Amino acid sequence: MKIQAINGFKDILPDSALLWQQIEQRARDIFQRFGMREIRVPIMEKTDLFVRSIGEATDVVEKEMYTFTEKSITMRPEATASIMRAFIENGMHVQQPVQRLFTIGPMFRHERPQKGRQRQFHQLDAEIIGAQEPQVDAELIAMGQMLLDELGINTSLEINSLGCPACRPPFRTKLVNYLELHQDALCDDCKRRTTTNPLRVLDCKKSTCKAIAKDAPSILDSLCENCSDHFSLVRQALQDLGISFTINRFMVRGLDYYTQTTFEFLTSDLGAQAAVGAGGRYDGLIEQLGGPALPGIGFAMGIERIVLLMEQKNNGTSLTQNTDCFIAALGQEANKPCSQLTHQLRLRGINAAMDYSGRSLKAQMKQANRVHARFVLIVGENELKQEEAVLRDMKTQKQQVFSLAGSVSEQGERLAPVLRA
């Protein structure tokens, strides 16, 4: 009986991995343009880190975390809490007052596997810690928009404000009073959320709850003066940067640490799974975790969903890993010098390959096509005696003579520029 992958955990095969690499490389390039520095945090953390940061009454903590109860450790369901833990533990605020950090890697949540979301999923996560200016919010959002634009992915941006500890409690009272009038029509989860986490009712996907949420009070009508001014300046800064957006008065996030600015990048090309990336401000989180009272803002993007959108854009065609030169060694005598020449080309930055099995030229030419070779160097016993190999351009099918005179190092020095041309 064959052993198969666990449900919700998928292999990323070589052809697909090329697209993943392209996305990650583009993300690193753009993040570094904005002064972001990479941080790598553990996959396992103490469970209490996520309970204290994400919120005990959230779906993530209540239902979705992979937790080893005997050890009280959890496989990370998201990256922000881990980055904040690392920031505090390593005293990074002492080194530099404002930190711009990003990480790329797997997260884990026990939820129903679906298109674009597995139980092991991968995120691009970016955080700016120590800056509270509204322009920073706009800059971070603009960075996410730039990445999606450069990847050729069409999304719409929605923003909202969730207020702060000063204006959130009065709004919570208004919302609970409203929801209590509609308890009979709410789903069982939302009935429970009314007392534990009422903002999550506004994010319920059930049709009856969505209909009730449409007429619910909006926190935008309850913002304190500071939060109202902050949200206004964020909108103005986005306009100054040429970033289009719409205001979603009922947008909430699934994690309790969010305050003030929240945002989502949405697509209409993935069915119900509309969010490609999302984030927001979390000004009280660092202090809540035992660190200094510093503000922060960040976002995460799901790589699986970006991959799906990129594949749709490419009409399902896969990226290919090209080979600069395939060396066809004909006969046992040719194996050793061809192997040495292959190594010399690799030392010079050339993607080179060869087949050691001694198959026919026809079979090796097929292999060269399979690895998408740009050139094939044909070397047999006669070529070795005459010190002249045949270099074939696989695009034009034109051939030229390549001299095998001199050492393999000298041959590699002469051949590498030809292959790069």
Side-chain angles (χ1 to χ4, degrees):
M1 184 177 182
K2 292 189 298 185
I3 298 175
Q4 296 182 325
I6 302 168
N7 187 29
F9 292 74
K10 290 188 66 175
D11 301 308
I12 302 169
L13 300 180
D15 286 347
S16 295
L18 289 173
L19 183 54
W20 283 67
Q21 291 169 15
Q22 182 186 89
I23 294 166
E24 292 168 8
Q25 288 166 3
R26 183 58 59 90
R28 284 189 167 90
D29 173 55
I30 291 175
F31 291 172
Q32 288 166 5
R33 290 184 219 169
F34 282 76
M36 309 290 288
R37 299 187 301 156
E38 185 170 10
I39 183 171
R40 302 190 182 192
V41 290
I43 287 175
M44 302 283 286
E45 297 275 9
K46 292 181 179 178
T47 303
D48 191 49
L49 172 66
F50 302 113
V51 173
R52 289 170 60 185
S53 60
I54 295 172
E56 192 169 4
T58 60
D59 286 351
V60 175
V61 172
E62 287 185 335
K63 303 176 183 179
E64 298 170 2
M65 295 201 312
Y66 283 96
T67 297
F68 298 82
T69 53
E70 291 183 1
K71 300 289 187 181
S72 295
I73 55 177
T74 295
M75 299 174 73
R76 64 185 186 197
E78 57 102 46
T80 300
S82 293
I83 293 176
M84 296 308 111
R85 193 266 313 145
F87 174 84
I88 296 166
E89 183 175 342
N90 294 283
M92 296 178 70
H93 62 286
V94 177
Q95 307 164 24
Q96 191 172 316
V98 176
Q99 292 279 349
R100 295 168 174 258
L101 304 171
F102 76 91
T103 195
I104 301 173
M107 315 294 159
F108 304 87
R109 295 188 190 180
H110 189 275
E111 54 185 339
R112 183 175 61 84
Q114 52 195 293
K115 185 178 180 181
R117 172 58 67 85
Q118 299 297 317
R119 289 172 175 170
Q120 175 179 306
F121 58 101
H122 299 75
Q123 287 186 338
L124 308 165
D125 185 279
E127 315 285 347
I128 300 178
I129 307 167
Q132 60 185 4
E133 296 81 8
Q135 292 81 1
V136 171
D137 301 27
E139 184 181 281
L140 186 78
I141 293 170
M143 183 176 74
Q145 187 68 66
M146 185 180 296
L147 174 58
L148 295 170
D149 289 345
E150 291 198 13
L151 291 174
I153 295 174
N154 294 319
T155 57
S156 59
L157 170 65
E158 293 186 355
I159 65 172
N160 193 23
S161 175
L162 290 181
C164 68
C167 53
R168 186 89 64 86
F171 167 70
R172 188 183 189 279
T173 300
K174 288 182 184 178
L175 180 59
V176 169
N177 290 339
Y178 172 80
L179 294 175
E180 286 177 345
L181 297 175
H182 301 274
Q183 281 293 291
D184 292 342
L186 293 175
C187 70
D188 290 340
D189 278 342
C190 286
K191 287 177 182 176
R192 175 177 53 81
R193 289 168 179 155
T194 299
T195 55
T196 60
N197 198 349
L199 264 69
R200 297 295 296 140
V201 178
L202 302 178
D203 196 39
C204 184
K205 301 301 185 288
K206 301 281 180 64
S207 57
T208 52
C209 297
K210 287 173 72 174
I212 292 169
K214 284 182 180 178
D215 296 321
S218 167
I219 192 165
L220 292 183
D221 299 323
S222 299
L223 294 181
C224 63
E225 184 177 358
N226 180 59
C227 289
S228 181
D229 290 345
H230 187 277
F231 191 47
S232 177
L233 290 170
V234 170
R235 300 197 304 271
Q236 183 60 57
L238 287 171
Q239 291 169 354
D240 292 342
L241 296 176
I243 306 297
S244 300
F245 63 87
T246 57
I247 297 173
N248 180 346
R249 295 167 57 85
F250 298 105
M251 180 201 300
V252 296
R253 304 294 305 131
L255 313 178
D256 279 358
Y257 54 61
Y258 285 114
T259 60
Q260 292 191 331
T261 307
T262 54
F263 56 93
E264 291 185 343
F265 296 101
L266 305 174
T267 178
S268 58
D269 297 329
L270 291 179
Q273 300 304 313
V276 179
R281 183 163 281 283
Y282 45 82
D283 288 352
L285 177 59
I286 298 170
E287 186 176 15
Q288 183 181 326
L289 293 175
L294 290 173
I297 185 170
F299 71 72
M301 289 187 176
I303 301 181
E304 280 83 354
R305 294 183 183 181
I306 293 175
V307 167
L308 284 173
L309 292 166
M310 296 278 287
E311 288 175 340
Q312 288 181 15
K313 187 186 73 165
N314 297 333
N315 295 319
T317 57
S318 299
L319 296 178
T320 57
Q321 182 169 317
N322 297 321
T323 302
D324 298 321
C325 183
F326 182 91
I327 299 182
L330 306 177
Q332 290 302 313
E333 290 295 321
N335 257 358
K336 182 176 179 179
C338 286
S339 173
Q340 293 173 329
L341 180 55
T342 300
H343 185 64
Q344 289 296 321
L345 291 175
R346 290 168 176 164
L347 287 173
R348 289 163 175 79
I350 299 297
N351 187 341
M354 70 168 285
D355 186 335
Y356 295 94
S357 64
R359 294 185 298 171
S360 67
L361 177 59
K362 182 178 180 181
Q364 294 200 51
M365 295 302 288
K366 287 182 178 179
Q367 177 66 14
N369 281 322
R370 281 195 287 270
V371 298
H372 307 284
R374 178 73 175 83
F375 291 93
V376 174
L377 185 71
I378 302 170
V379 183
E381 293 179 2
N382 289 335
E383 285 77 12
L384 289 173
K385 290 177 183 177
Q386 298 170 8
E387 293 189 335
E388 288 185 343
V390 176
L391 183 64
R392 180 180 297 180
D393 186 320
M394 297 297 280
K395 284 187 178 179
T396 66
Q397 294 299 305
K398 292 181 179 180
Q399 297 186 163
Q400 59 180 296
V401 174
F402 174 74
S403 173
L404 295 177
S407 67
V408 288
S409 178
E410 292 169 338
Q411 294 170 29
E413 196 67 30
R414 291 196 308 272
L415 183 55
V418 176
L419 301 175
R420 292 193 189 98

